[in-house]
């Protein structure tokens, strides 16, 4: 087969690295200040440092558990702590971030000398139970505003709706390392080039298809689901060629991996409430909200399965959990047609 017809893409944005993309305002960030731009680049620096640890964890005794349990009651992996500390130590500098709330910490870390009115929420290493078996994991982050004239940030300062996020993103440490970022107007992906030590634009203006052909949910929880989720699960596996059913099942058990696939290809991912996790398992501030902002900016959707948009949910506490269904608008609507009135 001849490849004469194929030539390397020559787009004006080819070879644009992440820092340039942000500095040149290609993120279409209204009212972006130098502080905001510098903060995004700081977050990206932290993810570069995390990438370097994740990629060689098996060679530097960074695999396995620390023996401790975090505020979530989960066993802490060594890389959880390393990722958390890298984000704190990076964001502590330059004064752009006033405080950071992390899945790994009971309370936020406040940076008292900061002059930048921004807060960062993060799951430093999501899916970390998969680290030792080399399955994709990721870092999730969101940026909120804080008016320092009202005083230093407190836990209450973080309890803002997802609608108030000014930026959201994640890094997936998969077959390649990809950072996906939005400030609400477009979603863009940047692939890590280890030979250069930079993220380069690889997915310009990601759009989620209005419908996909895969569903992603932990079917091991079937006996714990509500009747509506059970009915949806039977529907999505039924045979109906006219409706392009059944869908294919895909479940990695790492939210960043399942959500990234869904963002690019469509379909849906759900972690609904069940008898074991009556409020859902995933955390609102630093898992559901950043992804909800990303999916909405890419033309997708994220709700709690009962008709409430994730971005409209008012947090009541820092580590609040929510039921979550996200993905293609049509697929999320199909899920909710079975669950909305429960
Ligand atoms: P389960 C990982 O621990 C995580 O928080 C998400 O990344 C993932 O989607 C979910 O939990 C998996 O949970 O109960 O299916 O193992």
């Amino acid at each position: 087969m001849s490849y004469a017809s194929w030539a390397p893409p020559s787009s004006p944005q080819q070879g644009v690295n992440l820092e340039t993309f942000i500095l040149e305002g290609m993120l279409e960030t209204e009212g972006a200040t130098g502080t905001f731009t510098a903060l995004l680049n700081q977050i990206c620096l932290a993810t570069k440092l995390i990438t370097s640890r994740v990629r060689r964890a098996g060679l530097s005794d960074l695999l396995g558990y620390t023996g401790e349990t975090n505020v979530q009651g989960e066993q802490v992996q060594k890389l959880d702590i390393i990722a958390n500390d890298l984000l704190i130590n990076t964001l502590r500098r330059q004064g752009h971030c006033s405080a950071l709330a992390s899945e790994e910490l009971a309370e936020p870390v406040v940076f008292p000398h900061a002059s930048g009115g921004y807060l960062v929420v993060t799951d430093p290493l999501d899916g970390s139970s998969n680290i030792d078996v080399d399955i994709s994991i990721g870092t999730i982050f969101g940026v909120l505003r804080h008016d320092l004239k009202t005083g230093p940030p407190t836990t209450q300062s973080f309890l803002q709706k997802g609608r108030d996020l000014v930026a959201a993103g994640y890094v997936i440490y998969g077959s390649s390392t990809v950072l996906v970022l939005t400030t609400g107007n477009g979603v863009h992906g940047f692939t890590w080039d280890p030979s250069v030590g930079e993220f380069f634009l690889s997915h310009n203006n990601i759009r989620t298809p209005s419908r996909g052909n895969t569903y992603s949910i932990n079917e091991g929880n079937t006996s714990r689901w509500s009747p509506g989720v059970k009915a949806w699960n039977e529907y999505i596996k039924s045979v109906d060629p006219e409706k392009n059913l059944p869908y294919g099942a895909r479940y990695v058990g790492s939210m960043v991996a399942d959500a990234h696939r869904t963002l690019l290809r469509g379909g849906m991912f759900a972690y609904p409430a069940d008898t074991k996790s009556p409020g859902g398992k995933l955390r609102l501030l630093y898992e559901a909200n950043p992804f909800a902002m990303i999916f909405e900016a890419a033309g997708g959707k994220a709700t709690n399965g009962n008709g409430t948009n994730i971005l409209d949910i008012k947090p009541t506490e820092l580590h609040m959990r929510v039921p979550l269904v996200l993905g293609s608008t049509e697929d999320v609507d199909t899920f909710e047609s079975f669950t909305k009135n429960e």
Side-chain angles (χ1 to χ4, degrees):
M1 175 180 180
S2 161
Y3 289 92
S5 59
W6 181 85
S10 58
S11 71
Q13 283 153 337
Q14 184 184 20
V16 171
N17 72 339
L18 177 53
E19 282 78 358
T20 303
F21 196 89
I22 295 172
L23 286 169
E24 291 188 0
M26 289 187 248
L27 264 175
E28 301 136 35
T29 308
E30 289 136 24
T33 64
T35 300
F36 180 67
T37 300
L39 173 64
L40 289 181
N41 276 318
Q42 271 187 298
I43 294 172
C44 298
L45 170 60
T47 65
K48 289 181 184 178
L49 298 169
I50 295 169
T51 296
S52 72
R53 269 56 168 196
V54 167
R55 291 290 174 209
R56 52 186 168 84
L59 301 175
S60 38
D61 189 27
L62 296 183
L63 297 176
Y65 294 98
T66 63
E68 296 160 338
T69 303
N70 66 13
V71 65
Q72 319 291 341
E74 296 168 345
Q75 287 189 310
V76 177
Q77 297 260 7
K78 294 175 186 173
L79 276 176
D80 283 323
I81 297 303
I82 288 166
N84 190 59
D85 290 352
L86 285 169
L87 276 159
I88 291 171
N89 295 331
T90 303
L91 293 174
R92 183 193 305 280
R93 309 173 77 90
Q94 298 185 20
H96 306 313
C97 177
S98 297
L100 175 133
S102 165
E103 183 203 51
E104 295 302 327
L105 303 171
E107 299 301 331
V109 176
V110 178
F111 302 124
H113 307 298
S115 57
Y118 293 103
L119 309 175
V120 172
V121 293
T122 184
D123 181 354
L125 210 55
D126 175 68
S128 51
S129 58
N130 291 312
I131 292 172
D132 291 6
V133 292
D134 219 23
I135 289 174
S136 299
I137 53 179
T139 298
I140 310 168
F141 59 87
V143 179
L144 295 163
R145 284 197 175 90
H146 171 70
D147 180 357
L148 287 169
K149 291 196 290 295
T150 65
T154 64
T155 296
Q156 190 67 32
S157 311
F158 284 89
L159 303 187
Q160 302 179 42
K161 291 181 180 179
R163 289 263 176 245
D164 295 330
L165 282 165
V166 291
Y170 62 89
V171 181
I172 178 168
Y173 310 106
S175 53
S176 62
T177 295
V178 177
L179 184 148
V180 174
L181 184 60
T182 187
T183 54
N185 297 315
V187 181
H188 309 283
F190 302 82
T191 298
W192 174 250
D193 180 342
S195 66
V196 181
E198 289 283 0
F199 282 104
F200 288 98
L201 182 67
S202 52
H203 302 68
N204 190 29
N205 195 25
I206 296 170
R207 303 298 295 167
T208 299
S210 60
R211 187 179 175 197
N213 59 15
T214 59
Y215 72 99
S216 184
I217 191 169
N218 184 343
E219 292 186 310
N221 292 327
T222 300
S223 62
R224 301 176 175 137
W225 289 338
S226 70
V229 175
K230 289 177 181 173
W232 162 82
N233 191 239
E234 289 308 309
Y235 168 79
I236 207 74
K237 295 190 284 193
S238 62
V239 178
D240 185 338
E242 287 183 6
K243 293 180 181 173
N244 194 29
L245 294 173
Y247 272 27
R250 297 287 185 277
Y251 193 73
V252 177
S254 230
M255 179 186 187
V256 174
D258 287 315
H260 183 65
R261 180 197 58 248
T262 305
L263 182 74
L264 296 183
R265 295 205 177 146
M268 47 76 65
F269 164 82
Y271 208 109
D274 61 33
T275 52
K276 179 184 174 189
S277 308
K281 174 179 184 182
L282 300 175
R283 293 78 167 182
L284 175 59
L285 259 66
Y286 41 77
E287 289 177 327
N289 270 343
F291 272 110
M293 179 180 187
I294 291 164
F295 270 85
E296 192 155 294
K301 190 172 186 178
T303 77
N304 66 353
N306 287 335
T308 301
N309 189 306
I310 289 291
L311 296 174
D312 295 328
I313 296 175
K314 179 74 169 77
T316 53
E317 59 98 17
L318 203 60
H319 300 289
M320 174 178 172
R321 298 173 191 259
V322 286
L324 175 66
V325 51
L326 56 72
S328 298
T329 49
E330 291 179 35
D331 292 317
V332 172
D333 290 347
T334 299
F335 183 92
E336 288 207 313
S337 69
F338 289 87
T339 62
K340 188 177 277 189
N341 300 316
E342 289 195 306

